[in-house]
Amino acid sequence: MTEITRRKMVTTGAAMTGAAAMGVLGTGHASAQQGFMAASAGPDGSPRRKSSGPGLQGITALCEVTGGGQKVYGVAIEYDADIDPTGLGPSTFAVGVVPAARGFFPGMPQSPDKNVTTQAPAPRTVAAIYTNARPALRPDRKSVPGAYVIAEFAHEPDLSLPTTDSDKVVATQNAPVRTTRGAVYAAATKMWSNAGDRGNSVVIRGVDAWEQSHWWWDDTRSTYLEYSIYLPKSFLAPGGETKAYPLVLAVTHSGTSYDGTSAQTLTEQCIATIWSLPENQAEHECVVVTPRYERTTMNDYWEHTNDIENTHRLVESLLRNGWNYGNPNLPDRADKVLRIDPTRIYCTGWSMGAMTSLWLMAKHPGVYAGGLIIAGQQRPADMVALAQQNVLIITGSEDGKATPWNEKCVPVWRQAGAKVTRPTELLDPSLIFPIDKQDKLTRQVEGHLAEGGNITFLTFDGVDHMGSARKFFYIGAARDWLFRQRRAAR
């Protein structure tokens, strides 16, 4: 296959600039497809569209949430009939991604809406092109029968790099496309956009299966807590209600509180959604819950709001094995009762989310089998109860709060009877990426975990507070450690 030439890219870029000037791209938000909105989506998760006749029907941005935020990894181009993949090449389509609004940075409070921008789309090189039956990337990049042409981009191996993408994409069909029945759709100059009046057509791998904007409530205290939940595939299959699942409570950071949304807790960072990725669910199937707070739960004075206790009450409610609030419009989950394994409750988080996790473990020591704490800290005197629990703490050497405060906790934990593993050497963050080549890092981390400490405290060289969120959740050995932990049955 031949790649798109530089001349073609320059020509396409000029056309895309014109499209932006004419307002073709719009400034809409990504469409919500979860909760009750999931009932109005097609069976493949994409918004339903009416056919405008034969040929190209519309396009969808194919995204993934990374440590650096949500990135566009490809474009799904939908036709009215199955497409013959043998005639497709990287230059069949010219595709582009609209850059995020200036000033946008994933996970930061008061950050501008990334989609509110009039910038011209930036051309993207197609690294692979194939057909699929649904708007989704395929790990093997091989064609299967379907009406979607997938134009996939090259992926950055360092998943911690901050995104510069909005979720608006464009595509132009530059060459003829043939259906499997022999019809030929001629090349055209029309530039298609996924932007629409009611939101942009977007599919986010590992996120679209979540149900957003659930509410835990307590009428006796006139309080409630908003949260999103991921339900494992086997739970949605027949008989799934007979199985008890591990539960991961993933608490995000203050940047997705107060002015944020449930969607932002899932897309601004990978703190919650990394646990729901298909490849990670294949290794460690679990229910994942992430709260959406209306305010910061903890401040630097060690004070906290009632949202932390509400979070504990949410976990308690799930442990009662009476949760049956799956989308009532979807028959695979309507009225189905979710069961949780009480010996496998885990908590994790970054920054404020890590502080919240530490507090929950300290104040409710009989609940959590283990905690993966990324760059969070607490007052040592409040953390004595962790001495008898399983905790893995990971920080960066340039983190001026989390690292020194956890150092102060080490002697407190040891005095209270904990076995603490605290290596003096700093780990190398360059060993984290690419994630399929972590062999050396895995040996180092597993070596420290094998020393037998119930608390292990690791620090990576040269990483600051923000960098820890983007990098450390990708440490496979840390996630594997968490799922090995068990709490004694009551």
Side-chain angles (χ1 to χ4, degrees), residues 200-220:
N200 306 331
S201 180
V202 179
V203 169
I204 311 174
R205 192 177 81 94
V207 173
D208 286 338
W210 284 71
E211 290 195 4
Q212 298 177 24
S213 301
H214 276 276
W215 295 331
W216 167 88
W217 73 97
D218 183 348
D219 291 338
T220 65

Side-chain angles (χ1 to χ4, degrees), residues 33 37-48:
Q33 297 174 15
M37 289 299 294
S40 63
D44 52 19
S46 61
R48 294 188 178 112

Side-chain angles (χ1 to χ4, degrees), residues 454-466:
N454 62 298
I455 299 177
T456 301
F457 176 15
L458 306 176
T459 299
F460 280 77
D461 189 25
V463 179
D464 61 13
H465 189 66
M466 293 298 297

Side-chain angles (χ1 to χ4, degrees), residues 55-114:
L56 204 159
Q57 304 294 295
I59 68 173
T60 298
L62 302 180
C63 302
E64 183 159 328
V65 176
T66 70
Q70 181 179 313
K71 298 180 181 180
V72 180
Y73 276 2
V75 178
I77 302 147
E78 181 184 3
Y79 286 85
D80 66 325
D82 286 3
I83 299 301
D84 179 359
T86 60
L88 300 174
S91 58
T92 302
F93 299 92
V95 292
V97 178
V98 178
R102 291 182 175 87
F104 170 76
F105 193 87
M108 294 299 292
Q110 289 85 46
S111 182
D113 186 327
K114 66 182 178 182

